Structures are given as structure tokens and as C-alpha cells.
Amino acid sequence: MKVEILGCSGGMGLGQHTTCYRINEHTLMDAGSGLGNLPQDELKKIRHILITHSHLDHICFLPLLIDNLFEFLKQPIHVYALPEVLEILKQHIFNWKIWPDFATLPNQDHPVVRFHTVQAWQPVVVGDLTFTAFPVEHIVPTCGYHVVSETGHTLAFTGDTTYGTAVMQELNKLGQLDVLMTECAFPDRLLELAHVSKHLTPKLVKDFVDAMAYRPRQVWLSHLKPSQTHEIRAELEKLDLSTKLVLLQTGQVFQL
Ligand SMILES: [Zn+2]
Ligand SMILES: [Zn+2]
């Protein structure tokens, strides 16, 4: 599978774009401001969007994408998320006040977007990929996605999460991973804030990876807060994860 890092920052600023990953041209995981890095012709190829949770940095460009493509869409774009997350999106974004309810436009029988619920541990086949949602622990309802490619390569994207026994019990059901893609929002100095907001710091990333039953072949990290990037990076460089650590950057393309 081809994985493009369209956005992987925990905030904004010149060159900083929030969470959005494209897999095999047609599928996105999350729709943060990184989605704005795709030219129009590439935006038109997107058919499926899997959302981890409703926080703005993960969904802010979803409404704009649908609006952008409205006149070109012959088939609906499919959006997948936990039922609680879809409910939040419908209630607080696609409510005709913040943005139109595109699930009813141009009419209910042939809308430009269709919402689909995902349930933990129920695989969804999307083109040549299989996605399985799994529970993580964040401050709002959130899931991660386990992705298996047509060639059997595996990637697990946790979305935003903290470290804890319950999370690890779920993660360890995934078996051996080629890539664990997770976050490291704060430096260790802000460990307390990470606990309260349910994010990770370098120390918690180490605990997380050490608690995995099968060490992933690579660990990809994202979501560093822009104002603390240097501090977090320095702490990560001192970690010994006994596996390859990649700090994601916008524009990277990986082939698994
Ligand atoms: Zn979040
Ligand atoms: Zn986030």
C-alpha cells in the first residue's frame, strides 16, 4: 500500500498541517488541514474517508472537501466512523448552521456523501484494503484503524490516544504490525496535561511500545505540538524503542 502523509502536525503555522493520511489514492484516514495539500485533480480521486474522532484537527477539511467536489460527484463519497462520532458530526457540523447536511443533497436518494458506522473489530473492505476499527483511549469517542493491504502488509493508526492497560489489551489483539502509527503530542514536561487530555509524550510512547506483545517493525509518530516540536524531538531521539522510529513530515510517501 502507498501511504502519503498529507498532514501530521498537532497544530498550525507555516508548513504545519493537521492529521490526514492518504492510502492508495482513493482513501483517507482523517481529514485535517493536511487535506488542503492535494490539488483539485487528486481531491476528485477520493472515494472513502475513515475518521478516528470528531476533534477539529482531524475533521476540519471534511466539510470543505464535500463542498468542493459537489458538482463533480457522480457517486457519493463514503465516510466511516464510530456511531457516536457520526452523531457528533451530524449534530454539530452538518446541521445547516455550520455547514449544509450533504447527506441529503442534492436529494436524499442520491446524496453526495454517505455516512457508514464502524464497530470495533468488524472489518470493512474498502477497495483493495481492509480496515478494522479498534478501541483506543482519548477524551472523546475515538477508534484506531488496522489496515491490511492487498499484499498482506499491516499498519495500525491509533488516532489520538493515551497509554493504558485497556488500550494495550486491544492493541495486542492486532498481532504483528509492519507499522504502528501513533502520536506524541506533548513533551514529558507536560505529562500531566497529556494524562488529562489523553495524549502521549515520549515517555508514554516508550511505555506503549514496550507493552506491545509483538514489537512493530516501525513506529511512525505524528501530532507534535508546533511550539514544542524541538523539545519533543530531542526527547524522542534519546528513546530506545528497539525498532525503527520515524518522525512523520508532510509530503512523505511510503510504500509498504
Ligand atoms: Zn483528539
Ligand atoms: Zn488531534
Side-chain angles (χ1 to χ4, degrees):
M1 74 181 116
K2 180 180 170 190
V3 183
E4 288 173 81
I5 312 304
L6 300 178
C8 56
S9 172
M12 62 173 289
L14 190 63
Q16 304 282 330
H17 312 277
T18 66
T19 309
C20 186
Y21 305 111
R22 182 162 73 150
I23 305 183
N24 290 2
E25 316 289 326
H26 51 66
T27 301
L28 300 178
M29 289 197 294
D30 284 341
S33 64
L35 181 51
N37 283 319
L38 283 184
Q40 291 296 331
D41 284 352
E42 296 297 312
L43 292 173
K44 288 178 187 170
K45 295 178 184 171
I46 292 164
R47 309 300 322 143
H48 306 276
I49 306 174
L50 295 105
I51 300 288
T52 59
H53 68 300
S54 58
H55 277 159
L56 203 56
D57 52 324
H58 298 253
I59 59 112
C60 58
F61 273 31
L62 174 63
L64 295 173
L65 173 74
I66 299 165
D67 184 59
N68 240 42
L69 298 182
F70 186 80
E71 73 167 299
F72 304 107
L73 287 169
K74 303 280 183 269
Q75 299 291 327
I77 287 185
H78 299 279
V79 175
Y80 307 80
L82 293 171
E84 303 93 317
V85 175
L86 289 183
E87 194 50 44
I88 294 167
L89 292 178
K90 288 174 188 175
Q91 203 175 338
H92 299 287
I93 303 286
F94 298 104
N95 58 7
W96 295 105
K97 296 188 181 85
I98 299 293
W99 213 242
D101 177 10
F102 279 107
T104 64
L105 292 174
N107 60 68
Q108 292 217 321
D109 294 332
H110 302 285
V112 289
V113 60
R114 282 195 196 276
F115 293 109
H116 304 269
T117 57
V118 296
Q119 304 288 349
W121 305 114
Q122 305 275 315
V124 178
V125 177
V126 173
D128 44 6
L129 303 166
T130 304
F131 289 84
T132 306
F134 61 89
V136 294
E137 194 180 337
H138 192 38
I139 199 133
V140 292
T142 305
C143 68
Y145 290 103
H146 180 247
V147 193
V148 183
S149 74
E150 63 281 16
T151 52
H153 287 92
T154 53
L155 175 150
F157 171 42
T158 67
D160 292 357
T161 187
T162 192
Y163 164 75
T165 313
V167 179
M168 300 320 300
Q169 275 176 357
E170 300 292 344
L171 253 288
N172 282 332
K173 294 179 192 169
L174 296 175
Q176 178 71 57
L177 297 170
D178 291 312
V179 175
L180 169 72
M181 184 159 64
T182 188
E183 58 127 295
C184 190
F186 298 114
D188 286 329
R189 175 172 59 83
L190 299 177
L191 190 64
E192 194 49 42
L193 179 58
H195 282 309
V196 171
S197 59
K198 295 191 186 279
H199 280 291
L200 295 172
T201 71
K203 177 194 177 305
L204 295 175
V205 168
K206 166 86 172 145
D207 291 344
F208 197 108
V209 175
D210 283 349
M212 292 184 77
Y214 306 90
R215 197 158 292 254
R217 295 191 175 89
Q218 296 185 34
V219 174
W220 298 357
L221 292 180
S222 66
H223 212 290
L224 282 64
K225 292 288 174 191
S227 58
Q228 291 137 6
T229 295
H230 293 301
E231 189 179 356
I232 301 168
R233 192 181 282 264
E235 290 174 351
L236 287 171
E237 279 167 6
K238 290 183 199 147
L239 284 190
D240 178 15
L241 293 181
S242 305
T243 190
K244 185 179 176 188
L245 179 66
V246 178
L247 278 185
L248 293 180
Q249 291 174 20
T250 296
Q252 285 171 319
V253 181
F254 300 92
Q255 192 73 47
L256 293 182

